[in-house]
Structures are given as structure tokens and as C-alpha cells.
Amino acid sequence: MEVVITWTAEDAARVVADVVMRLVAERPAAVLGLATGTSPLGAYRLLIEEHRARKVFFAAARAVLLDEYIGLPPDHPEAYRAVIRREFTDHVDLAPDRLHGPDVWADDLPAACARYDRLLAELGGVDLQLLGIGTDGHLGFNEPGSSLRSRTRVKTLTTATRADNARFFASPDEVPHHVVTQGLGTITDARHVLLVATGKPKAEPVARAVEGPLAAVCPASVLQLHPHATVVLDEAAAAGLQLADYYREAYAGKPSWQHL
Ligand code: F6R
């Protein structure tokens, strides 16, 4: 696992944006796995700026969602397809029909979940999966206790996750209880997984994921098994790492594209 510690959240966003830009330059038809939540927003903003400066193009790429709430109408502003369009894809040249997500409005949800896993395979697999981490160590919406080999399926959110996400809704009661999420096995099928975490509340889950035991109680620890996993942190999110000095030394002074 490569751990890149940057000074600020903006520096972390720059590293993430550079990884996406390099991938899309090398492979215009790349399949990008996009996360929602606050963690990747800085990178999305930079990518929008770079697209406006005509330095990155997404017309041949595809994007796939990591997860989606169950029970929100498709046009709800907090449905993850709507969030990703608003925060990123509608501001670049990625057509809406090249953005894919699980069909949480299907009558038969298990069949829709299996269809989503098949779609990811038919697209040739995910080249780069962007990830955030929950304060409870979740990855996607694979809450603690998730099977490390799970596939896309329905999950129930923990009280802690619903409380964390209440900030996006008018009242905490409006946060859905259920989601469809790519499983941990699905996520780790991606050729490169990149987790970005910033701010003090992420220090503890990051330390458990990166340096703790591989355990279902911290789903993000599954990244330890991945042959190409990158963790991009600011100093606050790196505060719990025992090996922080080693990571800083290993990457000191290198431009971000050389890290990864
Ligand atoms: C979002 C997702 C979640 C978030 C995580 C961190 O699609 O799957 O795992 O990445 O909850 O959320 P933020 O970035 O808002 O702290």
C-alpha cells in the first residue's frame, strides 16, 4: 500500500486529480469508479478546472458509482447519481449515459445488484476506483462486519453512518436506512484503488485500515490485500499512523505523479 501524506486537503486533492489525469491521458476510454461524500470533492473541482483549461477530457471514458441510496426518488438531489452529476460529471465532457450506477429502483433488488456486477465486468473492469472512508471504517457502504469478498448487494446503514450523512438532508430522519453498495470483493477487483481521507475525524479509521489487522470490523482494511492501493492523506488524517515518518521520507519532494 502506498501512503502519501500531504500538508493540506488541497494538496491531497491535487495528488488525486493528477492520478486521474494521468490515467485518462494514457487511456482515454478508462472506467473511473467515483465515490460521493466530501472526500473526493476537492479532486472533482480540480478536474473540472483542468477540463475547462482543456487539459483533460472524459468523452471516451465511463464512470461508475460506488453506491446508491435505496428509497430516494431518482430526481432527489441526494441520490448519488444526482450528486455525482452535480459535483463532477455535468461539468466535464462525460455524457450522462456514460455514467452507470446500480438500479435501486428495480423491483428485484438482488437481481439488479447481480446485473451491476455483470455490467462492471462487461465494461472491462474498473481502472481506478476512488474511495473515501467512513468514521466507522466503512468502504463504499460496506459497514463493519461486511464480508471481505462481498459483491454488490443491499446493506443496512449503521446509526453512525446515518448520523454522519445527516448533514446532507433537511433532517436526520430523512437519511435512508438502506443502500446498494459495491461489495468489498467488487471494489477490490478495480485495477487501482485510491482512498482519499482528510481531517482529524479520519485519523482513527485510517490508522485501523492501513496499519491495523485485516478484519471485517474495519472493512477498509481489505485494501491491505490489494496489489495497487494508494492512500492519500493530509497531515490531520495521518495523525494516527505509526509509520508516518517513513511514508513522509519515502515520498518527500517527489512530484505527485511519481508516487503512484
Ligand atoms: C460514498 C461512500 C462512502 C464515503 C464515506 C466517507 O460514495 O461510499 O464510503 O466515501 O462515508 O464520506 P465523506 O467523504 O463524506 O467523509
Side-chain angles (χ1 to χ4, degrees), residues 74-168:
D75 59 349
H76 191 287
E78 291 309 321
Y80 279 173
R81 170 179 284 274
V83 171
I84 281 291
R85 288 190 58 174
R86 185 170 68 241
E87 301 290 357
F88 181 35
T89 58
D90 277 0
H91 307 284
V92 298
D93 56 341
L94 191 125
D97 64 350
R98 298 182 78 82
L99 168 65
H100 308 276
D103 179 8
V104 291
W105 299 279
D107 289 335
D108 184 347
L109 278 175
C113 293
R115 259 201 318 277
Y116 194 54
D117 273 343
R118 277 202 302 279
L119 172 75
L120 298 182
E122 281 159 21
L123 293 176
V126 174
D127 289 297
L128 172 67
Q129 178 64 58
L130 300 181
L131 298 161
I133 186 170
T135 52
D136 63 358
H138 72 218
L139 206 59
F141 277 132
N142 295 279
E143 297 286 29
S146 291
S147 155
L148 300 179
R149 288 198 165 164
S150 46
R151 310 304 304 178
T152 299
R153 69 212 183 293
V154 175
K155 286 294 283 182
T156 304
L157 295 180
T158 60
T159 307
T161 298
R162 291 189 65 245
D164 282 348
N165 288 6
R167 67 191 192 278
F168 297 114

Side-chain angles (χ1 to χ4, degrees), residues 24-258:
V24 178
E26 277 168 15
R27 194 176 155 85
V31 178
L32 302 171
L34 301 178
T36 47
T38 305
S39 305
L41 288 182
Y44 295 155
R45 281 185 205 122
L46 286 173
L47 289 167
I48 293 166
E49 278 174 26
E50 298 286 11
H51 173 69
R52 289 183 178 149
R54 306 194 58 76
K55 291 192 189 143
V56 63
F57 298 97
F58 298 93
R62 288 187 185 269
V64 296
L65 295 179
L66 188 53
D67 39 25
E68 184 59 273
Y69 287 120
I70 296 174
L72 297 180
D75 59 349
H76 191 287
E78 291 309 321
Y80 279 173
R81 170 179 284 274
V83 171
I84 281 291
R85 288 190 58 174
R86 185 170 68 241
E87 301 290 357
F88 181 35
T89 58
D90 277 0
H91 307 284
V92 298
D93 56 341
L94 191 125
D97 64 350
R98 298 182 78 82
L99 168 65
H100 308 276
D103 179 8
V104 291
W105 299 279
D107 289 335
D108 184 347
L109 278 175
C113 293
R115 259 201 318 277
Y116 194 54
D117 273 343
R118 277 202 302 279
L119 172 75
L120 298 182
E122 281 159 21
L123 293 176
V126 174
D127 289 297
L128 172 67
Q129 178 64 58
L130 300 181
L131 298 161
I133 186 170
T135 52
D136 63 358
H138 72 218
L139 206 59
F141 277 132
N142 295 279
E143 297 286 29
S146 291
S147 155
L148 300 179
R149 288 198 165 164
S150 46
R151 310 304 304 178
T152 299
R153 69 212 183 293
V154 175
K155 286 294 283 182
T156 304
L157 295 180
T158 60
T159 307
T161 298
R162 291 189 65 245
D164 282 348
N165 288 6
R167 67 191 192 278
F168 297 114
F169 291 83
S171 95
D173 294 342
E174 284 180 30
V175 184
H177 287 264
H178 298 100
V179 292
V180 167
T181 181
Q182 285 191 31
L184 294 171
T186 318
I187 291 170
T188 50
D189 279 348
R191 284 180 273 282
H192 183 188
V193 287
L194 191 162
L195 184 144
V196 57
T198 56
K200 204 170 156 213
K202 298 298 171 75
E204 194 256 350
V206 162
R208 289 201 296 138
V210 174
E211 295 180 340
L214 174 68
V217 75
C218 180
S221 66
V222 75
L223 298 182
Q224 294 175 22
L225 289 176
H226 198 283
H228 192 182
T230 304
V231 177
V232 181
L233 307 170
D234 67 354
E235 284 289 346
L241 293 173
Q242 290 176 46
L243 301 177
D245 283 342
Y246 166 72
Y247 303 131
R248 284 192 199 96
E249 223 169 89
Y251 297 110
K254 287 189 188 167
S256 59
W257 56 266
Q258 265 186 4

